[in-house]
Amino acid sequence: MKTKVLMVCLGNICRSPLAEGILKSKIDRQKIFVDSAGTGDYHIGDLPDKRSISVARKYELDITEQRGRQFSVSDFEKFDHIYVMDNSNYENVISLARHEEDKQKVKLILNEIFPGENVDVPDPYFGGDHGFENVFQMLDEACENIARKLQEEDEE
């Protein structure tokens, strides 16, 4: 059975599509399924932000097959790990949790780099292109750690 990982941000056009694309590039896609969603409904069906597409392309990743979708309660059943980009996303997702088991699946993605510090991935939407590069680098490092943990889980 495949391990399923969900990346979540606010609109599902900037950070979580990058996190999805980055993690997909680091794992065995026969064993691990990766998707992304937003807590808001602003961009359902939309392509990722052109700046996310551009920075991903710079690192030879194509995220143009992704479309925005909204996080739903059923995602707790479908996914084994839910990584959120910031504390606001965390609160939004946790507020939909039905029980403790749901809550245990939800983690701040940068805690993979800075354990227990609850650092936010800054939302680059209103910033310039440089913000997207910074976000890519943060997510790349976090996804490297996630990929390693998933590999270890798979070997157990």
Side-chain angles (χ1 to χ4, degrees):
M1 196 165 83
K2 278 189 180 183
T3 299
K4 295 182 177 81
V5 179
L6 184 65
M7 302 296 189
V8 180
C9 69
L10 177 61
N12 193 211
I13 59 166
C14 295
R15 297 170 290 174
S16 57
L18 278 174
E20 175 186 343
I22 292 166
L23 186 58
K24 279 180 175 176
S25 75
K26 297 178 182 299
I27 50 97
D28 179 345
R29 292 169 78 171
Q30 300 300 314
K31 296 178 179 175
I32 300 167
F33 173 78
V34 185
D35 195 10
S36 62
T39 57
D41 62 359
Y42 323 108
H43 300 288
I44 293 172
D46 293 353
L47 275 167
D49 185 287
K50 66 184 188 314
R51 296 164 294 178
S52 284
I53 292 170
S54 176
V55 75
R57 190 169 288 136
K58 177 180 168 184
Y59 295 97
E60 299 178 10
L61 300 178
D62 182 2
I63 61 171
T64 58
E65 83 286 351
Q66 297 181 35
R67 296 294 179 272
R69 73 172 188 87
Q70 188 173 18
F71 182 86
S72 70
V73 173
S74 65
D75 287 322
F76 286 115
E77 293 165 25
K78 295 176 192 161
F79 292 92
D80 305 298
H81 304 281
I82 300 170
Y83 289 98
V84 297
M85 300 298 127
D86 63 35
N87 283 278
S88 175
N89 306 147
Y90 182 84
E91 293 303 323
N92 290 333
V93 171
I94 288 292
S95 73
L96 298 173
R98 301 159 301 177
H99 41 65
E100 193 58 33
E101 188 179 327
D102 286 354
K103 291 178 183 178
Q104 294 302 316
K105 294 181 178 188
V106 186
K107 297 177 180 69
L108 282 157
I109 194 165
L110 290 188
N111 278 349
E112 295 299 320
I113 309 171
F114 310 110
E117 293 184 29
N118 299 340
V119 177
D120 289 349
V121 176
D123 189 340
Y125 186 77
F126 293 108
D129 294 343
H130 190 67
F132 284 81
E133 176 67 34
N134 289 343
V135 164
F136 186 94
Q137 296 304 328
M138 286 177 205
L139 293 175
D140 189 55
E141 187 177 348
C143 286
E144 191 67 42
N145 291 346
I146 292 167
R148 188 171 45 254
K149 284 183 179 178
L150 293 171
Q151 178 71 29
E152 289 166 5
E153 276 180 22
D154 187 52
E155 290 169 1
E156 288 176 5

